[in-house]
Amino acid sequence: MSEVQSVQWFPGHMAKTRRKIGEDLKLVDIVAEILDSRIPQSSSNPVLQEIIRSKPRLAVFNKSDLADPKETDRWIAFYRSQKIPAVAVDCKTGKGVPNFYRTVQERLGAQLSIWKEKGMVGRPIRIMVLGIPNVGKSSLINRMIGGKAGKAEVQDRPGVTRQNRWFTIGKGFELLDTPGVLWPKFEDPLVGEHLAFTGAVKDEILDLEGLSFRLVELLMELYPQAVDQRYKIEVPKEPVPPGYEILEQIGRKRGMLLSKGEIDLERAAAMLLDEFRSGKLGRITLEQAPQKK
Ligand code: GDP
């Protein structure tokens, strides 16, 4: 894990990012935190609330096409119970994006009434997108500016000295063109692992075999039928054998053999990770929403 940690974030970097986001916050009305629906907990930033203070926020559960819809619904209900509006989107197809706009308007309802009373008709709602690397910030921004509603018009705003630019995205919204890149909470090794499962951490720095053993164990715990169906193997459920044994079975089934009949675990590992990440194992959520009391 310490390897992973040192790649992207170090205290100086975090402080700088935090400062930049703090400055940008002054320019916007609302922040949208983008999460990966497969790992809503690990893809959220632990100090977001501290950074954005009283600025209105909403949570966007992206990559919902890859996640278990029942679990996404539970997560959304959980966020709403915490008074944080939340929506599921899929930036691959644009599903949920109209709902995103609606939710922003609802969240800012009181503010919009004030603007209206003050005669600020046509005052656009300014949005900033935030999130850890790889959750789909650019994809969402592209969706918004590229969709039918949007005009990919970029303007420099007078009075803003830094290079912030705005996209006018139609329907009364403006989007800050540079997303805020947040850091994940690397203190917890499980978080690093879940980020690695989803491909949010560069593979070159990872032990892919070890990672795939742990992934297959977790899948056997949460979605055993998905593994059985995809690879046509029969894995005992109690107790579940260690990950390497399951991966050996998978490798054997797929004919991934080395010269002396040994299983090519490296290939099997790469395949499992790839198939999980691309959704070939079905729609899977690795982290469950906290139970409501
Ligand atoms: P960023 O680092 O947060 O800006 O993330 P990107 O927008 O670059 O997306 C990271 C990867 O996730 C890319 O390969 C995208 O194609 C993919 N991606 C983004 N949104 C979705 C989505 O809703 N569904 C799926 N399946 N993939 C997505």
Side-chain angles (χ1 to χ4, degrees):
M1 264 320 304
S2 56
E3 287 177 295
V4 172
Q5 193 168 2
S6 64
V7 176
Q8 293 165 339
W9 298 107
F10 47 92
H13 194 168
M14 285 189 198
K16 201 169 153 216
T17 303
R18 208 170 162 147
R19 213 162 35 241
K20 164 87 170 89
I21 293 173
E23 287 167 17
D24 287 350
L25 275 175
K26 296 182 196 138
L27 308 171
V28 299
D29 303 307
I30 189 163
V31 298
E33 187 190 20
I34 318 301
L35 302 166
D36 183 327
S37 302
R38 296 167 299 174
I39 50 166
Q41 202 168 352
S42 297
S43 60
S44 72
N45 180 280
V47 291
L48 180 74
Q49 196 61 56
E50 220 179 279
I51 298 173
I52 65 168
R53 296 163 185 254
S54 56
K55 190 64 72 178
R57 67 187 271 201
L58 83 159
V60 179
F61 286 80
N62 188 35
K63 308 199 186 186
S64 59
D65 56 310
L66 297 174
D68 182 337
K70 283 206 287 298
E71 293 296 333
T72 304
D73 285 347
R74 283 196 193 115
W75 272 104
I76 288 177
F78 171 72
Y79 264 70
R80 289 183 182 159
S81 75
Q82 307 289 303
K83 306 266 179 290
I84 302 170
V87 284
V89 303
D90 159 9
C91 288
K92 273 230 150 135
T93 62
K95 197 171 161 206
V97 174
N99 197 19
F100 165 78
Y101 288 123
R102 242 189 333 270
T103 308
V104 168
Q105 274 167 330
E106 273 165 25
R107 174 62 186 85
L108 292 177
Q111 185 65 54
L112 298 182
S113 309
I114 294 172
W115 289 345
K116 206 167 160 193
E117 276 167 29
K118 288 187 178 167
M120 295 162 71
V121 182
R123 158 77 160 80
I125 295 172
R126 298 187 180 123
I127 308 172
M128 173 163 60
V129 165
L130 287 178
I132 68 162
N134 209 49
V135 283
K137 297 179 293 301
S138 317
S139 304
L140 181 65
I141 289 177
N142 287 334
R143 270 278 151 208
M144 289 198 267
I145 63 175
K148 279 203 193 84
K151 261 193 297 184
E153 175 192 296
V154 180
Q155 20 166 278
D156 285 314
R157 172 146 301 155
V160 177
T161 48
R162 280 169 309 103
Q163 293 182 325
N164 279 318
R165 297 198 297 178
W166 298 85
F167 292 114
T168 304
I169 49 174
K171 290 189 196 155
F173 296 97
E174 283 185 354
L175 183 71
L176 193 60
D177 74 340
T178 40
V181 184
L182 298 169
W183 57 95
K185 43 179 184 251
F186 274 127
E187 310 85 62
D188 179 350
L190 273 185
V191 169
E193 206 162 271
H194 287 191
L195 290 166
F197 290 155
T198 59
V201 175
K202 284 197 178 64
D203 277 347
E204 301 93 83
I205 56 167
L206 299 170
D207 159 22
L208 291 187
E209 278 178 45
L211 194 68
S212 70
F213 299 159
R214 293 191 296 279
L215 175 61
V216 83
E217 284 168 7
L218 184 59
L219 291 173
M220 285 309 299
E221 188 187 319
L222 300 174
Y223 296 89
Q225 72 290 359
V227 179
D228 290 355
Q229 276 170 20
R230 176 78 194 162
Y231 301 111
K232 310 277 184 284
I233 53 174
E234 281 184 22
V235 184
K237 305 292 181 285
E238 282 192 21
V240 172
Y244 72 89
E245 282 184 21
I246 307 172
L247 208 72
E248 269 183 351
Q249 277 201 47
I250 293 174
R252 189 172 297 115
K253 198 84 188 183
R254 290 283 171 109
M256 293 176 167
L257 301 177
L258 294 167
S259 54
K260 287 182 196 140
E262 261 176 77
I263 311 292
D264 189 345
L265 277 180
E266 205 180 316
R267 256 181 83 200
M271 179 196 66
L272 178 81
L273 286 164
D274 181 61
E275 296 203 345
F276 165 70
R277 290 171 184 169
S278 58
K280 291 202 178 78
L281 283 148
R283 298 177 69 177
I284 287 174
T285 300
L286 297 178
E287 297 173 349
Q288 286 158 355
Q291 295 293 325
K292 269 184 275 176
K293 298 223 171 74

